């Protein structure tokens, strides 16, 4: 399996590369320091699996890069490798196309299992977080549960939201996501409508609540 590692810390990239290259069926072909570099390296190497950190300041975040890479290179399976033990982050990245979610403090064997699982076409969720994910989709006794408006946002709207909240202008967002300014404006209007938000301060408050500003 060809693997790329994306993390903003060189020591982390080096450490994971070392343990993965000791596996007979795995080879790290490249490493990246942010989401934009990860995209370029995926385009170049066409890896089987990409290990992606979520927060990689000051470069492009793993959330945005995950959406782009999943859309343009669907054969590359993405495993999020993060320190965030939080179901909000888990929901964000699964909706954006990730196939796996593993915490950085997990045993090496768990990371190996995640890589092999997604390579074989499956989905791997950190066992300690699987319960919250199941609870999200399974309703007790067939009862209807209240729907969070966030869950009806499109993948692109999820990418636009944190950028707007961080103060990026329409042109900057368009350049980051490789879409037109008009498309950015349309996504902004749609997500504000779906979330029933009336102003920029309300959007920033919502982004904070949903922990989007870490991306």
């Amino acid at each position: 399996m060809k693997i790329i590692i994306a993390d903003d810390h060189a020591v982390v990239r080096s450490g994971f590369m070392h343990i993965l290259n000791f596996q007979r069926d795995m080879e790290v072909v490249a490493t990246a320091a942010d989401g934009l570099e990860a995209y370029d390296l995926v385009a170049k190497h066409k890896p089987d699996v990409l290990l992606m950190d979520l927060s990689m300041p000051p470069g492009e975040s793993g959330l945005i890069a995950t959406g782009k890479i999943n859309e343009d290179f669907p054969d590359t399976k993405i495993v999020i490798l993060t320190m965030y033990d939080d179901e909000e982050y888990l929901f964000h990245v699964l909706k954006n196309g990730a196939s796996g979610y593993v915490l950085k403090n997990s045993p090496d064997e768990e990371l190996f299992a995640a890589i092999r699982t997604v390579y074989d076409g499956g989905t791997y969720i950190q066992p300690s977080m699987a319960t919250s994910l199941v609870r999200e989709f399974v309703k007790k006794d067939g009862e209807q549960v209240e729907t969070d408006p966030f869950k009806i946002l499109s993948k692109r709207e999820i990418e636009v939201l944190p950028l707007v909240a961080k103060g990026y202008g329409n042109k900057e967002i368009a350049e980051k996501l490789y879409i037109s300014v008009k498309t950015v404006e349309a996504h902004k209007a749609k997500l504000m409508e779906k979330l029933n938000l009336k102003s920029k301060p309300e959007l920033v408050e919502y982004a904070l609540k949903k922990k989007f500003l870490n991306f």
Side-chain angles (χ1 to χ4, degrees), residues 43-143:
K44 178 180 179 180
H45 295 281
K46 304 295 192 296
D48 299 299
V49 178
L50 169 64
L51 298 182
M52 178 87 80
D53 191 12
L54 276 180
S55 180
M56 295 182 280
E60 183 173 270
S61 77
L63 178 70
I64 292 175
T66 293
K68 290 181 185 177
I69 292 169
N70 178 253
E71 186 173 321
D72 294 345
F73 308 103
D75 290 337
T76 294
K77 306 304 180 184
I78 303 172
V79 174
I80 300 301
L81 191 57
T82 180
M83 62 181 179
Y84 296 120
D85 183 6
D86 191 296
E87 63 184 75
E88 291 288 356
Y89 293 108
L90 174 62
F91 187 85
H92 296 334
V93 296
L94 290 181
K95 192 162 185 177
N96 252 33
S99 297
Y101 195 98
V102 179
L103 297 180
K104 287 182 177 178
N105 62 359
S106 300
D108 295 347
E109 290 72 19
E110 196 160 308
L111 177 58
F112 302 153
I115 292 171
R116 292 180 178 121
T117 298
V118 301
Y119 176 76
D120 288 336
T123 299
Y124 190 95
I125 306 299
Q126 177 84 21
S128 63
M129 303 183 69
T131 301
S132 62
L133 185 65
V134 171
R135 190 182 301 121
E136 188 69 34
F137 294 103
V138 177
K139 296 148 178 87
K140 289 186 177 180
D141 301 322
E143 291 181 359

Side-chain angles (χ1 to χ4, degrees), residues 135-153:
R135 190 182 301 121
E136 188 69 34
F137 294 103
V138 177
K139 296 148 178 87
K140 289 186 177 180
D141 301 322
E143 291 181 359
Q144 192 98 21
V145 295
E146 185 178 352
T147 301
D148 182 347
F150 166 76
K151 294 178 176 59
I152 61 172
L153 294 183

